Amino acid sequence: MTAMAHEPLTQEQVLLEGFLALDTPEGFRAELFEAEIVVTPPPDGDHEKYISRIVRQVIKPSKTDMDFSGNKGLRLKSAGAWPMDHVIPDVTFAPVEVDLFGGAHSWMPCDGVAMVLEVTSTKPQADREAKRRCYARGGIPLYLLADRDASQVTLFSEPEKGDYRQHCTRPFGKPIALPEPFAFDLETADFL
C-alpha cells in the first residue's frame, strides 16, 4: 500500500474547519469574524425586548414588505487572507419578494439582505466595531445597532472599502429615520 501525499492545510483552512466543527452548547452561538472565533451565551430578556420592539416596527410600517430571520448565519467577505467571516446578526431583514430565506443553507451569502440588526450584549465592542466592518465588507446596505450601554441607536449606511461612510446616532427616546426600502422613523421611546 502506498501512502498518498497531502498538501498541508493553511492556517486559514485550519481555522475555518475548526470553526465549522464546533459543537456549542444549546442556546450559545459561535461566529468567526476577523480571524477570531467568538462564542456568546444566550441573551438576556432585555436584549430580546429590544429586538421584539424593533422587528414589530419594521414589519408594520415599512414601505417594502419585509421578511426577517433571527440568528441567520451569513458568510461575508473577510479582511485580508483569512477565511470568510461567518456572522450571525440578531436579526436579518430582506424584502419578501426576494424570498431570501426560503431554502437557504445554515450559512448563506448576504446578497439581497436589506439591513441587519444587532443589540449589544456580552461583547458590545464587537458589535460596534468588528461586526460593523464585517457587514460593510459584505455590502449590506444598512446596519442598525441598538447600543444598550450607550443608550443610543445608530444606523450605518453606504458601505465602502470595508466600513460604512455614513452613520446617524440618536439617543434612546428619539426616533431615527430608516431610509428606503423601509422609509419610516423608528421609535426608540420603548428602550428607556
Side-chain angles (χ1 to χ4, degrees):
M1 181 185 277
T2 313
M4 301 215 23
H6 292 282
E7 291 291 318
L9 293 176
T10 65
Q11 189 174 8
E12 296 81 21
Q13 291 168 320
V14 170
L15 179 62
L16 181 58
E17 286 184 20
F19 167 73
L20 293 173
L22 282 176
D23 186 21
T24 57
E26 186 173 337
F28 282 70
R29 67 180 184 189
E31 300 172 282
L32 169 63
F33 52 89
E34 297 192 346
E36 182 178 346
I37 295 174
V38 178
V39 178
T40 54
D44 63 29
D46 285 339
H47 181 272
E48 297 305 283
K49 171 188 164 183
Y50 284 65
I51 290 172
S52 175
R53 302 290 160 83
I54 293 170
V55 167
R56 249 192 339 214
Q57 285 189 66
V58 170
I59 297 304
K60 286 182 181 179
S62 181
K63 182 178 177 183
T64 302
D65 286 339
M66 288 287 161
D67 273 337
F68 72 94
S69 178
N71 299 307
K72 181 70 191 108
L74 299 178
R75 280 190 331 267
L76 306 163
K77 295 176 189 169
S78 67
W82 293 103
M84 291 186 82
D85 291 322
H86 287 65
V87 183
I88 304 172
D90 289 327
V91 180
T92 303
F93 294 97
V96 168
E97 66 186 26
V98 176
D99 193 23
L100 194 63
F101 306 118
H105 290 51
S106 298
W107 295 102
M108 68 177 215
C110 60
D111 301 332
V113 170
M115 180 171 73
V116 292
L117 163 67
E118 293 284 359
V119 176
T120 56
S121 55
T122 57
K123 297 184 186 272
Q125 207 56 33
D127 294 328
R128 293 179 192 125
E129 294 181 21
K131 283 190 167 186
R132 184 193 75 230
R133 291 188 299 268
C134 288
Y135 298 141
R137 281 193 302 271
I140 295 174
L142 301 170
Y143 171 37
L144 184 64
L145 173 64
D147 192 325
R148 297 189 296 168
D149 297 333
S151 297
Q152 64 187 24
V153 62
T154 301
L155 180 68
F156 297 94
S157 59
E158 298 183 30
E160 185 179 292
K161 298 180 182 174
D163 210 343
Y164 287 96
R165 293 185 328 146
Q166 299 292 323
H167 72 276
C168 176
T169 301
R170 296 286 183 262
F172 287 168
K174 301 287 184 187
I176 189 164
L178 297 182
E180 296 281 345
F182 303 96
F184 75 95
D185 288 349
L186 180 78
E187 295 296 333
T188 65
D190 280 355
F191 300 168
L192 294 172

